[in-house]
Amino acid sequence: MEKPAKISPPKGKLGILTPGMGAVSTTFMAGVELVRKGKAQPVGSVTQLGTIRLGKRTDGRSPLVKKFVPLAELKDLTFGGWDIFRDNAYQSAANAGVLNPQDLAKVKTFLSGIKPMTAAFDHEYVKMIDGPNIKKGKNKYELALKIKEDIANYRKTSRVSRLVMCWCGSTEVFVKPEEVHSTPAKFIEAMKSNHPAIAPSMLYAWAAITSGVPFANGAPNLTVDIPAIQELAQEHSVPICGKDFKTGQTLMKTILAPGFKARMLGLDGWFSTNILGNRDGEVLEDPGSFKTKEESKLSVLEYILQPQLYPMLYGKMHHKVRINYYPPRGDNKEGWDNIDIFGWLGYPMQIKVDFLCRDSILAAPIVLDLVLFLDLAQRAGMHGIQEWLSFYFKSPMTAPGLYPEHDLFIQSMKLKNTLRWMMGEDLITHLGQEYYD
């Protein structure tokens, strides 16, 4: 890919559209407004708090990311979305129970003005929930066209100059790639015939991309991981990325596993279990939806540890993942990990991790960073798969035939080097020999 000759400035408003206006999206919206009002800090956001080193360590050049690349400012963000329930963003946030009543009260007027559009939803793909705020149509193609109408109407009524869509909806049942996903034409025919391999999230992706709107997939659904959608992204000059926000337990795995591999410590097994009581936990009670999530979570260690290269250390690794719906915990998920490692001469050791995390608190800054970086990518003329945004996902997208990088530190380097490349700065290799010449 050629380096951008010019990056268009972020003039005007940037509209953020979220299919799904539940815990994650309302925590994101409320958080942005609290930060804009000076009532909170954007902790967890690389775009807002992160710095980027430029040049040598001795140069002392480490500007904030948001000062280095031309990102949209928080004051210019507007919000909209779809949901199967009719609650406005304030009501939805209150029901989710992520933010305390004191913080919600500070943004009640703002959130109350964000009302969900009717959702394209099919109970067959998310079996544990249902709702009344659902679009009607004779087939999936008609529903997708209605989503395109929603996008056009939002663009007009909100007077935004640009849009980004980020899937914040539920995990759908496991769908495998099929022939209907192979080309845009076959995809349209499949929508018209209500083919079961066309999930609701794909309708949003198709509608967004054919409307020129960048799309991020925050769930482990197949969605944009299909040739038809990727071809459309190239055709319409739209950047895409996904899938599945990297928040709690998997975040810890992508921090710890690279350390074991770097020190050539062996791994016999990694047992992970989660308890959570939010809507995500309820949805994952369905075996079909859990299968989708399990595939996403299990792939991480295989790619980081590369057992095919290190069979003695990782060839017999046993990796198990469990997710349990436990309503009393709400959005405050708890992840337990038992890690059986071995060291010098094969002597065994154990590590126990108990991560009492807040799922939506970890996800909200990911949404912010993704929408700002996708908007930047589009203004820089970058389109198709944005692998440099792998940092934010459990199952990063890559070019066909290319294995994904899951190591958080490699992902971070890839992200920051991409920003340096975009702005014409030298890439950082950390070789450091120049200091000793």
Side-chain angles (χ1 to χ4, degrees), residues 198-219:
I198 307 298
S201 63
M202 294 178 183
L203 306 183
Y204 285 94
W206 181 86
I209 291 164
T210 56
S211 300
V213 177
F215 187 95
N217 177 21

Side-chain angles (χ1 to χ4, degrees), residues 152-384:
N153 289 336
Y154 183 87
R155 193 192 297 270
K156 183 178 179 181
T157 57
S158 299
R159 298 178 180 176
V160 296
S161 61
R162 306 173 321 283
L163 287 167
V164 176
M165 188 182 295
C166 184
W167 176 271
C168 294
S170 296
T171 299
E172 296 168 332
V173 297
F174 188 64
V175 175
K176 290 183 177 180
E178 296 191 22
E179 183 63 24
V180 296
H181 301 135
S182 61
T183 68
K186 288 180 180 179
F187 188 86
I188 289 175
E189 287 305 311
M191 285 194 289
K192 290 178 178 178
S193 65
N194 286 327
H195 196 286
I198 307 298
S201 63
M202 294 178 183
L203 306 183
Y204 285 94
W206 181 86
I209 291 164
T210 56
S211 300
V213 177
F215 187 95
N217 177 21
N221 311 328
L222 190 61
T223 314
V224 288
D225 264 353
I226 54 177
I229 294 294
Q230 292 170 16
E231 184 178 329
L232 287 170
Q234 294 287 353
E235 183 182 319
H236 292 270
S237 299
V238 173
I240 56 175
C241 63
K243 56 188 179 182
D244 204 4
F245 298 140
K246 180 157 58 181
T247 51
Q249 195 169 63
T250 306
L251 173 63
M252 298 304 295
K253 285 180 179 175
T254 62
I255 292 171
L256 292 172
F260 301 151
K261 180 182 171 185
R263 289 291 301 270
M264 289 289 103
L265 294 172
L267 180 68
D268 282 324
W270 197 314
F271 179 81
S272 301
T273 190
N274 302 264
I275 56 173
L276 71 162
N278 58 13
R279 194 187 298 176
D280 192 31
E282 184 178 8
V283 166
L284 293 175
E285 282 285 274
D286 171 56
S289 292
F290 175 72
K291 172 69 172 172
T292 307
K293 176 68 78 171
E294 184 182 38
E295 291 285 321
S296 174
K297 291 171 78 72
L298 283 174
S299 64
V300 172
L301 292 183
E302 289 282 336
Y303 283 115
I304 292 176
L305 297 175
Q306 297 175 296
Q308 73 279 9
L309 294 180
Y310 307 102
M312 185 189 74
L313 297 176
Y314 312 117
K316 296 181 180 179
M317 170 183 64
H318 190 78
H319 187 197
K320 182 76 73 175
V321 175
R322 291 284 181 264
I323 301 174
N324 301 285
Y325 179 50
Y326 182 62
R329 194 53 58 94
D331 198 67
N332 295 346
K333 181 169 72 174
E334 184 165 1
W336 294 309
D337 289 273
N338 173 79
I339 312 164
D340 287 288
I341 66 173
F342 59 90
W344 185 246
L345 308 180
Y347 278 71
M349 296 173 277
Q350 285 190 357
I351 298 170
K352 311 285 188 184
V353 179
D354 187 5
F355 189 13
L356 287 83
C357 65
R358 296 172 182 263
D359 221 27
S360 298
I361 293 297
L362 291 167
I366 290 179
V367 179
L368 175 60
D369 285 357
L370 285 173
V371 297
L372 294 182
F373 279 143
L374 280 176
D375 175 56
L376 171 69
Q378 187 166 49
R379 287 185 283 107
M382 299 163 67
H383 43 79

